[in-house]
Amino acid sequence: MTQPAQDRRDVQYGTAVASVYDSLIAPALPAEAAVDRLRPCVTGARVLEIGVGTGRVAVPVAAIAAEVVGLDNSRPMLDEFRAKTVPGNISLVQADFRAPLPVTGPFDAAYSTMGSLACVTDREQLTAALSHVRDVLAPGATLSLEYYATGTYRPLVAQHTVTMPTPHHGGTTTFTITLDDRDVLTMGTRIDEVGKPPVEFSEHVLLIERDEVEVCLNRAGFTVEHVYAAESPQPYDWYTARATK
Ligand SMILES: C[S@@+](CC[C@H](N)C(=O)[O-])C[C@H]1O[C@@H](n2cnc3c(N)ncnc32)[C@H](O)[C@@H]1O
């Protein structure tokens, strides 16, 4: 399914990041840990992934869920996913989570990994996006949310530029990190592989404290049941919340 009106909204993940996501980015965060946490919520369930990307998590989740609907507003990311073998119980929807979701609920569970839902400009937009998710969930359904951990990212803002070896690969990755006065973190990434032109892209995410994420979840109609706080240098906190009845 495509949603032409959504194409007019800004899309953060373009062809540059999509071209290196599976080879250079996904290997740094193996999906197993996320799937282990999701297992009790998604086994045998009808599941929605928000910001499905290239299917790093959706593919192993589909092996234990009844059905997975993966939503993303990036055509290049979805094209990368479609170029692989998409399991028969996954359907992909190109849509923006900042608008009401064009999917048919109710879902038993939803999840969003690697901070996809943080791609918003302010707390109101995050609350609205979470409300759109809540609208298609069954009462009592779970939302599992990986969200940027301030304890890890604020020190990186202070460092401003960080260069490290690209995990599981030759070459280096350089991050340039800034935070504006509206709490929008901009992370520029430049990947240098020997013998290849550099790949550059940037992300803009809302960096807010855990209690503020919980307020947004509560306002959107969720009760937070558990927070697994990241231990630096882990990038994300993990929230398990339940749609209020
Ligand atoms: C860091 S990637 C994570 C992909 C996947 N969940 C994973 O864990 O590998 C973030 C994803 O969120 C998607 N995304 C960002 N903003 C979005 C929006 N407004 N609506 C829908 N998807 C969005 C991006 O296109 C991208 O695929």
Side-chain angles (χ1 to χ4, degrees), residues 12-13 21 49-54 56-57 71-74 77 95-98 113-114 116 119 203 236:
Q12 287 212 33
Y13 281 65
Y21 195 85
E49 178 169 356
I50 308 111
V52 68
T54 63
R56 183 184 68 97
V57 180
L71 181 138
D72 205 292
N73 70 340
S74 164
M77 292 292 276
D96 193 312
F97 57 61
R98 292 167 292 183
T113 50
M114 283 180 78
S116 303
C119 295
E203 294 157 272
Y236 308 107

Side-chain angles (χ1 to χ4, degrees), residues 15-40:
T15 49
V17 58
S19 71
V20 294
Y21 195 85
D22 281 343
S23 59
L24 300 181
I25 298 174
L29 282 177
E32 287 76 14
V35 176
D36 281 346
R37 280 190 178 159
L38 289 170
R39 194 179 306 279

